[in-house]
Amino acid sequence: QVQLEESGGGSVQAGGSLRLSCAASTSTYCMAWFRQASGNRREGVAVIDSDGIISYTDSVKGRFTISQDNASNTLYLQMNSLKFEDTAMYYCAADLSRCGTLYPQNFAYWGQGTQVTISS
């Protein structure tokens, strides 16, 4: 069992930055960020595996950076040049045995989410 706790969400103006954190209760093989805007499906944002291999969804490439601190089992998402359409609840996800593509069904463990609101 893995507990995940996100932090760092908030409200900023378009063009601003936020840094999300996700503290995991144990080491994992794969961690990712997802987001879900009101009325929309949950979509994958970025994923990183234990070897540091990273993938982003196209809409955040060049603006968001995923990273992890293996010593503290903490996942980060640095979000720059934020846009109104980045507004969503952001979720941390993890899996212990595989690192698949950015679909929710590929991840067994989820945090409660942290809200990110961008004002235009």
Side-chain angles (χ1 to χ4, degrees), residues 63-91:
R63 300 188 300 120
F64 291 11
T65 302
I66 189 172
S67 62
Q68 62 186 2
D69 179 350
N70 291 327
S72 64
N73 299 324
T74 304
L75 180 72
Y76 300 100
L77 186 68
Q78 178 66 44
M79 304 186 296
N80 299 329
S81 302
L82 283 160
K83 303 176 181 180
F84 176 75
E85 50 265 39
D86 294 319
T87 296
M89 183 73 78
Y90 282 71
Y91 296 91

Side-chain angles (χ1 to χ4, degrees), residues 24-92:
S25 60
T26 187
S27 61
T28 62
Y29 181 71
C30 186
M31 297 190 77
W33 289 100
F34 285 76
R35 63 186 180 186
Q36 188 167 16
S38 180
N40 290 0
R41 296 181 304 171
R42 191 167 296 190
E43 67 165 344
V45 175
V47 60
I48 185 168
D49 71 13
S50 58
D51 294 323
I53 297 174
I54 291 170
S55 180
Y56 297 97
T57 192
D58 286 345
S59 62
V60 307
K61 286 179 180 177
R63 300 188 300 120
F64 291 11
T65 302
I66 189 172
S67 62
Q68 62 186 2
D69 179 350
N70 291 327
S72 64
N73 299 324
T74 304
L75 180 72
Y76 300 100
L77 186 68
Q78 178 66 44
M79 304 186 296
N80 299 329
S81 302
L82 283 160
K83 303 176 181 180
F84 176 75
E85 50 265 39
D86 294 319
T87 296
M89 183 73 78
Y90 282 71
Y91 296 91
C92 175

